Amino acid sequence: MNYIQTETNGQMMFTIERSKFLMIPSQLVGFHNFDTTLETTKSGRDLFCFKGSLDENFNRTCSVCDRKMHSHGSREISLRHLCFGSTLTVLKFAKFRLKCPHCGITRQQEVPFQAENHRITIELFNYARDILSHGTYTLRQVAEITGLDENTIKAIDIKRLKEKYTVNGQTLIKPEAYAEYLGIDEFKLHDGHKYATHIIDLKTGHILWIAHGKKKKVVFDFIDHVGLEWMDHVEAIACDMNSDFQEAFEAKCPHIQPVFDYFHIVKNFNDKVVSEVRKDEQCRLAKREMWMLPGH
Ligand SMILES: [Zn+2]
């Protein structure tokens, strides 16, 4: 992009005060920045506001009759863009509404750099998606880094995970590698009454399966998903003392050795044995103290 030709593409007057600007390729095809202001958001963060316009010669063809659509008003829109350090940025421009004079349908002007279903640029979407794919940061941290809200980050992550692990966003793909040792456990969901179960590859820590419930069906569904040939490579499964899981694996894959994991053995021992001994001991000491009080 040539920033010097201000009169032909409506760019800022870089030739006049060049020393005040960094000229960075925007990668926003069709966007012409004619003014930039520094503002402050409600939460007190700095915000570069890139005001501009879209290319005049965009696609105006009617999708129904193939004829040319006419402009039918416009509206101002704001798209969040990449942060510059801790400073947020936003693009502001007018987007045309188009109407076909022949068949009457209307539609919005397409914005080539806008991420689908979001008020953000494709560049910012890709940046958030790439940070998420590292697996190092929580959703809240990615929201802080990108200046986006957590719901947007969650939506980006769901799209990323669906693209990576499903076919057409519906069917989960089979694990790429075989697993030698699996781990299975249930956990309470937010409301505290329902359970979900997850199955992981113990060596890699990868989650292979998450499903509602804590019954045998979860195990059967998982085995149906990966197939018996895949299960042949599994040597052992670590589980708690939930007999449903153990019985389900033994029923379908008798070669797999169930192993009670260390955490659950210690927890069980604490709950069932140590707590009882502690109660007995407290009771015994309390009685002895009573006898030692004056008057007894
Ligand atoms: Zn038409």
Side-chain angles (χ1 to χ4, degrees):
M1 192 177 287
N2 184 353
Y3 289 98
I4 311 301
Q5 294 178 338
T6 54
E7 68 283 2
T8 55
N9 63 11
Q11 293 293 334
M12 298 173 75
M13 302 294 280
F14 284 107
T15 46
I16 295 171
E17 293 188 275
R18 289 179 70 137
S19 62
K20 290 186 179 176
F21 296 93
L22 289 173
M23 286 179 272
I24 304 169
S26 74
Q27 298 184 321
L28 302 167
V29 177
F31 180 72
H32 301 289
N33 178 209
F34 53 68
D35 189 22
T36 299
T37 52
L38 179 60
E39 297 174 13
T40 307
T41 65
K42 280 180 191 162
S43 58
R45 289 182 74 165
D46 285 343
L47 172 79
F48 278 134
C49 186
F50 299 122
K51 292 166 186 167
S53 60
L54 292 178
D55 254 344
E56 297 271 311
N57 42 0
F58 56 91
N59 175 22
R60 289 172 178 268
T61 311
C62 174
S63 60
V64 176
C65 69
D66 257 4
R67 283 187 269 196
K68 194 180 171 188
M69 301 176 86
H70 292 178
S71 299
H72 187 64
S74 65
R75 65 189 182 99
E76 287 286 322
I77 71 160
S78 303
L79 294 188
R80 280 288 329 282
H81 188 43
L82 295 170
C83 292
F84 198 79
S86 58
T87 304
L88 306 174
T89 72
V90 66
L91 311 173
K92 290 197 173 183
F93 53 89
K95 189 161 102 166
F96 284 109
R97 194 178 293 116
L98 301 168
K99 186 171 184 179
C100 178
H102 308 284
C103 59
I105 66 156
T106 58
R107 69 169 169 88
Q108 300 279 338
Q109 176 183 2
E110 288 157 14
V111 181
F113 47 83
Q114 180 172 2
E116 204 182 340
N117 301 325
H118 293 288
R119 288 289 186 89
I120 68 175
T121 62
I122 291 171
E123 290 277 299
L124 180 57
F125 181 98
N126 291 347
Y127 179 56
R129 184 200 57 201
D130 292 348
I131 300 176
L132 287 163
S133 68
H134 280 294
T136 316
Y137 301 103
T138 62
L139 295 183
R140 184 171 293 178
Q141 286 169 327
V142 178
E144 180 66 26
I145 292 167
T146 56
L148 294 171
D149 64 274
E150 270 184 67
N151 286 336
T152 305
I153 296 297
K154 201 182 278 181
I156 293 171
D157 205 26
I158 288 172
K159 188 166 190 288
R160 177 184 76 84
L161 292 169
K162 280 188 171 174
E163 281 172 3
K164 194 169 179 192
Y165 296 112
T166 68
V167 179
N168 301 327
Q170 296 291 326
T171 317
L172 192 67
I173 57 173
K174 267 174 65 168
E176 285 170 4
Y178 293 118
E180 219 174 332
Y181 306 116
L182 298 179
I184 185 167
D185 202 7
E186 78 255 10
F187 57 95
K188 274 184 187 172
L189 293 173
H190 300 302
D191 64 8
H193 300 293
K194 289 180 187 159
Y195 284 85
T197 300
H198 56 174
I199 298 173
I200 67 166
D201 178 334
L202 278 181
K203 276 193 171 171
T204 61
H206 290 167
I207 297 168
L208 303 175
W209 193 252
I210 293 188
H212 286 288
K214 54 172 185 171
K215 300 287 180 196
K216 288 180 183 174
K217 186 176 183 305
V218 176
V219 175
F220 293 150
D221 287 347
F222 171 72
I223 294 172
D224 283 347
H225 169 64
V226 294
L228 287 174
E229 191 273 334
W230 192 93
M231 291 301 293
D232 280 346
H233 295 80
V234 179
E235 277 186 30
I237 171 93
C239 48
D240 62 6
M241 285 139 206
N242 173 339
S243 56
D244 271 12
F245 294 153
Q246 187 185 343
E247 285 169 17
F249 278 106
E250 281 172 347
K252 292 271 183 180
C253 312
H255 71 280
I256 295 178
Q257 180 71 46
V259 179
F260 296 134
D261 66 74
Y262 181 78
F263 169 80
H264 284 103
I265 290 173
V266 172
K267 184 175 180 296
N268 212 29
F269 188 77
N270 276 333
D271 292 348
K272 303 264 169 69
V273 182
V274 178
S275 294
E276 291 304 313
V277 172
R278 191 177 286 131
K279 269 187 227 160
D280 286 351
E281 191 65 4
Q282 276 170 349
C283 197
R284 191 178 67 81
L285 289 173
K287 275 183 194 162
R288 203 175 71 170
E289 276 174 25
M290 286 249 295
W291 285 109
M292 286 168 73
L293 287 172
H296 282 86

